Amino acid sequence: MSDAGPTSNVDPMNDVSPVNDVGPAADVGRWFSTAAPVADPSGRRGAPRLPAWGPMESSDYGLQSPPSELDAARDLLRGRPVAVLTGAGMSTGSGLPDYRGRDAVPRSPMTYQEFMGHDLARRRYWARSTVGWEQFNRARPGHAHQRLATLGRTLFTTTAVITQNVDGLHQAAGSSPVLDLHGRLDRVRCQSCDTLSSRAALHARMLSMNPELAARLPDLAADAAQAPDGDAEVDRTSSFRYPPCPLCGGILKPDVVFFGESARPEVVAAAFAALEQAQALLVLGSSLTVQSGLRFVRAAGRQHKTVVILNDGPTRADPDATMRLHGRLEDVLERWDALS
C-alpha cells in the first residue's frame, strides 16, 4: 500500500508502550454500525441491512490446548518461511473489541453502499468516529503484537503479516512486512480522485466545523465508552457536518474496506504472493468468518502447506487446519518466544 500522503512528521503509532498505560481504546466496530431504519431527506429508504454480527455459538471459548500441542505447533513453524494472517483477536489486548469473540457486542455493519448512498449514514459514521478518534489513536501494540514481531526474527521468517485489522499496530510493534488487507483507519481516501490524506488532519477539520460537539468531546467520549449501545447520544447528531475532498469535492471515506466493498487488488495480490513464498500459514485471532481471510487458508490447503490456527473460539476453517490451537494469543506466543 502507498503511504498516506501528507501527514505530521510525528507518528503516534511509533510509540510501543503498553496499551494499559493509556486506558481502553474506542470500540471502532460501533463506528461502522448502521442505524435502522434510515431515510434521507429525499425520501429514499436506507440501504438493505446485513444480519447483526456477534459472538459465534460455540462451547469452544476459553479452551486451552495442552503444552504438548503448543510445542508441536511451534516445531512445525521453526526455521520455516511463514505467512501470518491476523484478525481482530490480535488487538483485544490493546483495548480494541473484536467482532466475533465471546464478549463481542452484536451490531449490524454499515455497508459501502449505505455509506456512499446516504448522507445521513456518512453523518452518523463521521460523528461517531470523531467522538472516538482520539481514544482510538491512543491504542498501542499489545503483548501479542510485540511477541509476534520477535518470533518473526527468532522462530521463523515472516514472508508477510497479512492483517485484517485497520489499526496499524503490527507496524508499530516492528513486524515487517505488513499487508493491511482491509486498509488503515489513520488514512482517508477520496472516492472520486483516489487521493489519500491524514485522518488526524480531517479530525481537526471536523472539530472546527462542529464547535458544539468539539466543546463536549470529552463528555461524549466518556458516555460512548459507558453506554450499553456505545454512543446513543452521538447517534442523534444528524446535524453533524463533514467536508468534501479539498481537491475535487468528492466523498471522503476512511481508507478501510466496508462490507460490500472489495479489498484493493494490489494488496490481495501481494498477500497471495507472500503465501506462495511461505511453507506455512499461521492464523492468529481470526474467526475466518468472511471470505476475505478464509480464502488464504483454502489457498494454503490447495498448495499443501502447513496451516496452524490459534484462536480463542471457533473458526470457519477449523477442519482445514493442520493443527488447531486454543488459548490466549499472548500466552501462547509468549511460550513460543521463551522456547524459541
Side-chain angles (χ1 to χ4, degrees):
M1 295 286 290
S2 60
D3 291 335
T7 60
S8 167
N9 291 328
V10 178
D11 183 359
M13 304 303 284
N14 286 333
D15 182 353
V16 294
S17 56
V19 67
N20 348 4
D21 291 350
V22 294
D27 184 351
V28 176
R30 286 194 177 103
W31 303 357
F32 295 91
S33 303
T34 188
V38 171
D40 64 26
S42 69
R44 292 179 299 176
R45 295 178 59 84
R49 299 293 182 261
L50 292 176
W53 277 47
M56 299 176 71
E57 294 185 8
S58 174
S59 59
D60 290 346
Y61 293 106
L63 296 180
Q64 300 285 333
S65 293
S68 59
E69 291 185 7
L70 300 180
D71 295 348
R74 181 201 65 218
D75 291 341
L76 274 179
L77 301 173
R78 185 188 297 278
R80 305 174 76 184
V82 175
V84 183
L85 175 66
T86 69
M90 195 78 191
S91 293
T92 55
S94 296
L96 298 173
D98 60 13
Y99 293 85
R100 287 291 194 178
R102 175 172 42 188
D103 301 320
V105 178
R107 59 175 68 91
S108 295
M110 182 184 296
T111 65
Y112 174 77
Q113 292 75 16
E114 183 180 0
F115 182 90
M116 293 298 296
H118 298 273
D119 172 69
L120 289 182
R122 293 193 292 275
R123 289 175 190 263
R124 173 186 171 84
Y125 172 81
W126 288 122
R128 283 173 162 233
S129 67
T130 297
V131 169
W133 170 253
E134 292 178 0
Q135 186 184 8
F136 166 79
N137 206 34
R138 291 197 298 268
R140 296 294 180 264
H143 294 299
H145 297 103
Q146 294 165 347
R147 294 292 184 184
L148 177 60
T150 300
L151 290 169
R153 298 186 294 268
T154 61
L155 179 63
F156 49 76
T157 302
T158 305
T159 62
V161 174
I162 306 162
T163 184
Q164 300 170 89
N165 300 334
V166 296
D167 49 39
L169 295 180
H170 282 300
Q171 292 92 329
S175 286
S176 180
V178 178
L179 297 172
D180 297 299
L181 188 63
H182 293 164
R184 287 277 294 264
L185 202 56
D186 59 357
R187 299 189 300 227
V188 178
R189 186 179 294 271
C190 175
Q191 299 303 287
S192 295
C193 68
D194 209 40
T195 298
L196 283 170
S197 56
S198 161
R199 175 65 179 87
L202 179 63
H203 178 70
R205 176 82 188 279
M206 287 191 292
L207 288 180
S208 69
M209 295 175 68
N210 297 275
E212 292 185 3
L213 181 143
R216 303 177 56 219
L217 192 58
D219 291 339
L220 288 172
D223 289 344
Q226 296 170 7
D229 59 350
D231 46 6
E233 187 167 0
V234 177
D235 283 348
R236 294 195 291 268
T237 317
S238 58
S239 60
F240 186 86
R241 300 175 61 210
Y242 60 91
C245 172
L247 296 180
C248 74
I251 294 174
L252 295 176
K253 172 183 162 295
D255 188 31
V256 301
V257 178
F258 278 59
F259 286 88
E261 184 181 14
S262 298
R264 296 185 71 84
E266 67 272 19
V267 180
V268 175
F272 276 115
L275 179 61
E276 184 71 30
Q277 296 164 9
Q279 294 178 5
L281 175 66
L282 172 62
V283 180
L284 299 173
S286 176
S287 65
L288 299 168
T289 303
V290 296
Q291 186 65 25
S292 178
L294 180 64
R295 57 184 161 180
F296 295 105
V297 177
R298 299 281 166 79
R302 290 193 297 271
Q303 297 169 23
H304 306 290
K305 298 181 188 292
T306 298
V307 176
V308 176
I309 299 177
L310 169 58
N311 191 57
D312 179 20
T315 84
R316 191 176 169 189
D318 284 356
D320 303 308
T322 308
M323 292 201 70
R324 172 64 168 96
L325 305 178
H326 300 267
R328 295 181 68 248
L329 299 186
E330 294 86 349
D331 295 341
V332 175
L333 297 181
E334 182 176 1
R335 179 181 180 86
W336 288 356
D337 187 21
L339 299 175
S340 63

